[in-house]
Amino acid sequence: MDIELLYKKVKGTLTDEEEQRFWSWMEENSGHRRYFESFERYQHAGERYSLTKEIQEVSRKRFLDEVQSRSQRRRFRRYAISFGRIAAIVVLVGLIAHRLFLMDSPVSPTPQEIAMVSVEEEIVEDQPVEQPEYSVTLIGGDGENIPYERLEEWSRSNGMQLNKTGGLLSYAPGSEGSLASGVEQYNELVVGKGAEFSIMLSDGTQVWLNADSRLRYPVAFGKDGVRRVYLQGEAYFDVSADGNHPFIVTAAGTDVTVYGTEFNIHARSEDYVRTTLVKGAVSVSVAGDTSQTCLAPGQTAQVNPQDGSVTLNEEPIELYVGWKQGKYYFEEIPLKDLFAELSLWYDVEVVFTDESLEHECFSGCLSRHSSLDKILRVLQETTYITPTRRGHSLLIGRGSHDE
């Protein structure tokens, strides 16, 4: 099936002849129907991820209740800071070193120094972060590196039906031809720093890769057995349900078994793999272990591949999946970890000239669509840091904060 026909079907512009071709293809097998349903859902998605109304309400209420209960214990002061096009919601939190500024934000129960501020976003013009045009590379089964601009040409020469449009790379169901030899052929998608990208696999599963991440997957899944992919970094999955072919994501020594669902996996550390379930059902386990831990929607599991331990929590899931909606949600995160995250998205090398700042904490919401300079202005106004840009490096030092 020519994927252009699928686009035209979604837009309602098929001719009578194309309409007949489309429905003939749909009726060939259930896999084609599942693929188109996923494709159509992607095209019509109004938000980068979808939460059930119940999970949204419970998660947000838990976050805001915590903000209010902690803020009552301290006097407060409010800073209104212009942020981006989106109307305001959230609170940026902390306690400034050697000074106490109380606002509508959570306060760390530890004696760590925290930067605290309440931010109200106003509806103002704000330019999105400019992403590198070609920060995506595909590694073919023979190890060849194919840059983004050559993908369609390369796929045709290799007998694949692979199409790219905007931030989506799509394997049409016709890619099953790659199984003619009886051996699954693997590709690997590599997304560089400062970018995010999405891919639709041949079964209709959609994967959104965050910056500095890579996914290894079959060009077409075999008709028998499991559908297995391999992740390094971070990705959000919307898996096409197929009860006869389980879907497994292997990441840093951890297996996430999927039963048709939406979830996020964070696998940037050797010490843990974090899985957050948005809806549906998944189970997690150390790779090769038959013991599995099942998650309910709204839960997050942290697996330690070294000792096999699994920790479950029900923290607000925005903390872990907000990146896909264009926002960073932080709750008492050390500045070292915060800047590690920002360095991937803005593609800078961060150096703390005062190492004691690494352990100070920050909580709140930052827009991924704001420029790095705007993010740094917010942090500078609400903490004791003084950032200095030097080419590709970002130096974080201790400054002063006047009342």
Side-chain angles (χ1 to χ4, degrees), residues 1 60 190:
M1 167 63 67
R60 183 152 321 229
V190 181

Side-chain angles (χ1 to χ4, degrees), residues 154-172:
W154 175 84
S155 63
R156 285 194 298 270
S157 65
N158 284 270
M160 300 180 192
Q161 294 188 41
L162 184 153
N163 302 269
K164 62 184 179 68
T165 177
L168 171 68
L169 183 66
S170 178
Y171 284 77

Side-chain angles (χ1 to χ4, degrees), residues 113-130:
E113 296 175 314
I114 309 257
M116 178 181 292
V117 66
S118 173
V119 173
E120 294 181 349
E121 301 185 27
E122 299 174 358
I123 302 177
V124 297
E125 293 298 322
D126 188 22
Q127 296 298 319
V129 177
E130 292 187 5

Side-chain angles (χ1 to χ4, degrees), residues 79-234:
Y79 291 84
I81 297 176
S82 174
F83 226 46
R85 296 186 65 115
I86 309 169
I89 55 173
V90 189
V91 186
L92 300 181
V93 193
L95 169 66
I96 296 177
H98 307 300
R99 297 195 184 191
L100 204 55
F101 288 88
L102 178 60
M103 326 213 177
D104 301 341
S105 305
V107 178
S108 171
T110 71
Q112 292 174 306
E113 296 175 314
I114 309 257
M116 178 181 292
V117 66
S118 173
V119 173
E120 294 181 349
E121 301 185 27
E122 299 174 358
I123 302 177
V124 297
E125 293 298 322
D126 188 22
Q127 296 298 319
V129 177
E130 292 187 5
Q131 302 301 322
E133 185 174 4
Y134 298 122
S135 53
V136 173
T137 301
L138 186 139
I139 302 176
D142 59 358
E144 180 184 2
N145 288 349
I146 304 96
Y148 177 76
E149 61 269 29
R150 286 188 48 224
L151 284 179
E152 287 183 313
E153 173 190 353
W154 175 84
S155 63
R156 285 194 298 270
S157 65
N158 284 270
M160 300 180 192
Q161 294 188 41
L162 184 153
N163 302 269
K164 62 184 179 68
T165 177
L168 171 68
L169 183 66
S170 178
Y171 284 77
S175 298
E176 273 107 352
S178 64
L179 285 171
S181 65
V183 179
E184 288 183 332
Q185 178 180 341
Y186 278 81
N187 286 172
E188 186 169 10
L189 184 66
V190 181
V191 178
K193 293 183 178 180
E196 60 184 26
F197 203 76
S198 57
I199 180 172
M200 181 179 289
L201 304 179
S202 63
D203 67 338
T205 291
Q206 299 170 61
V207 187
W208 288 260
L209 279 88
N210 202 351
D212 196 25
S213 299
R214 54 205 303 156
L215 181 75
R216 184 171 179 265
Y217 54 90
V219 172
F221 293 102
K223 299 185 182 300
D224 300 319
V226 302
R227 297 172 290 166
R228 186 184 292 271
V229 300
Y230 302 86
L231 172 70
Q232 295 180 42
E234 182 169 22

Side-chain angles (χ1 to χ4, degrees), residues 30 40 58 65 199 279-280 340 400:
S30 60
E40 186 177 35
V58 170
D65 284 350
I199 180 172
K279 62 183 180 182
S400 61

Side-chain angles (χ1 to χ4, degrees), residues 33 72 196 216 277 336 340 365:
R33 184 175 297 276
Q72 291 173 356
E196 60 184 26
R216 184 171 179 265
L277 180 61
K336 178 181 180 181
C365 175

